[in-house]
């Protein structure tokens, strides 16, 4: 592929969104980009980053006593946006090719972080957490719910306007902690 088909990431990596390769996926790029992207296509009353949403999803999964794999998947569930941005839900449903690209990229990211074998139950848990936090964010940051029946939230999501660098750092720390716990569990299962 030619360089015209690549983006240059925060870590100065040439990344090909249509041909994602594990060695070009860096958690530093994901954390940095997502910490600077605003949720709700920038329409919230104050800045609330995609990274902060992902952190809140992870903490919600933890409060629900979901596995560390699901917690990590919650942290990374929007990671493809670091490379291809996002399109709002009402429009995305009409963009079949975009959804294919997003899915392929998201699968490559999950595989890079040892989540390529997630089962349907785990994916449903991630989706439930994501949808609950989406409702909570709109209620807190737009002062109106987006569903008739509010979902139950088990954690206390932080919707304060936070420094991007602090959010990026927390995203990286959570990733490191979860990867260490998952690796430790896998080692103990091998013994």
């Amino acid at each position: 592929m030619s360089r015209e088909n690549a983006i240059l990431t925060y870590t100065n990596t040439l990344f090909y969104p249509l041909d994602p390769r594990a060695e070009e996926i860096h958690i530093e790029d994901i954390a940095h980009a997502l910490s600077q992207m605003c949720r709700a296509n920038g329409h919230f009353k104050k800045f609330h980053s995609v990274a902060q949403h992902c952190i809140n999803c992870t903490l919600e999964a933890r409060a629900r006593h979901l596995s560390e794999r699901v917690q990590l998947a919650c942290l990374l569930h929007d990671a493809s946006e670091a490379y291809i941005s996002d399109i709002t839900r009402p429009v995305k449903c009409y963009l079949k090719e975009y959804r294919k690209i997003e899915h392929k990229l998201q699968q490559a990211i999950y595989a890079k972080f040892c989540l390529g074998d997630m089962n349907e139950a785990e994916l449903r848990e991630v989706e439930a957490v994501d949808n609950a936090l989406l409702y909570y964010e709109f209620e807190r940051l737009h002062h109106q719910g987006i569903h008739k029946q509010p979902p139950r939230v088990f954690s206390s999501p932080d919707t304060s306007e936070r420094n991007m660098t602090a959010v990026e750092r927390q995203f990286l720390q959570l990733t490191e902690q979860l990867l260490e716990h998952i690796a430790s569990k896998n080692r103990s299962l091998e013994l």
Side-chain angles (χ1 to χ4, degrees):
M1 290 192 132
S2 70
R3 290 175 72 97
E4 291 82 35
N5 295 325
I7 62 170
L8 186 61
T9 69
Y10 172 69
T11 62
N12 286 323
T13 301
L14 278 176
F15 184 83
Y16 297 84
L18 301 179
D19 184 24
R21 302 169 193 151
E23 65 272 12
E24 296 167 355
I25 297 169
H26 302 293
I27 196 64
E28 296 82 6
D29 288 329
I30 294 168
H32 182 77
L34 296 185
S35 72
Q36 297 194 37
M37 292 180 172
C38 191
R39 290 277 290 162
N41 210 33
H43 291 286
F44 279 150
K45 306 292 183 197
K46 59 185 177 181
F47 184 79
H48 184 74
S49 73
V50 175
Q52 191 170 350
H53 162 75
C54 293
I55 290 166
N56 284 338
C57 286
T58 302
L59 299 177
E60 174 66 16
R62 186 175 290 166
R64 292 179 182 205
H65 305 289
L66 299 176
S67 72
E68 287 162 332
R69 282 173 46 88
V70 170
Q71 291 174 41
L72 181 59
C74 283
L75 189 62
L76 298 174
H77 79 279
D78 284 335
S80 63
E81 294 177 23
Y83 300 105
I84 60 171
S85 294
D86 193 21
I87 296 175
T88 58
R89 285 184 184 199
V91 176
K92 190 187 292 189
C93 65
Y94 293 100
L95 303 175
K96 184 179 177 182
E97 288 304 311
Y98 175 87
R99 289 193 324 263
K100 284 182 186 176
I101 293 165
E102 180 184 47
H103 179 75
K104 179 180 178 181
L105 178 52
Q106 190 61 45
Q107 291 307 104
I109 292 166
Y110 278 159
K112 165 81 179 200
F113 296 100
C114 304
L115 298 172
D117 61 344
M118 289 188 56
N119 61 46
E120 287 301 315
E122 290 172 317
L123 292 171
R124 279 193 305 274
E125 290 172 335
V126 172
E127 183 179 15
V129 168
D130 184 31
N131 286 333
L133 268 290
L134 175 70
Y135 178 90
Y136 186 87
E137 289 168 350
F138 270 82
E139 184 180 71
R140 278 287 183 85
L141 297 168
H142 238 321
H143 309 296
Q144 58 179 287
I146 56 172
H147 304 300
K148 291 177 185 172
Q149 183 67 30
R152 184 168 177 209
V153 177
F154 295 76
S155 62
S156 299
D158 180 2
T159 56
S160 65
E161 193 164 352
R162 294 186 56 207
N163 174 281
M164 294 176 206
T165 304
V167 171
E168 179 180 347
R169 214 174 12 251
Q170 185 180 9
F171 190 100
L172 290 169
Q173 289 168 345
L174 270 172
T175 304
E176 185 180 334
Q177 290 169 1
L178 288 165
L179 286 171
E180 283 177 13
H181 288 168
I182 292 167
S184 175
K185 271 189 181 174
N186 289 342
R187 281 192 300 271
S188 66
L189 289 174
E190 291 171 359
L191 297 177

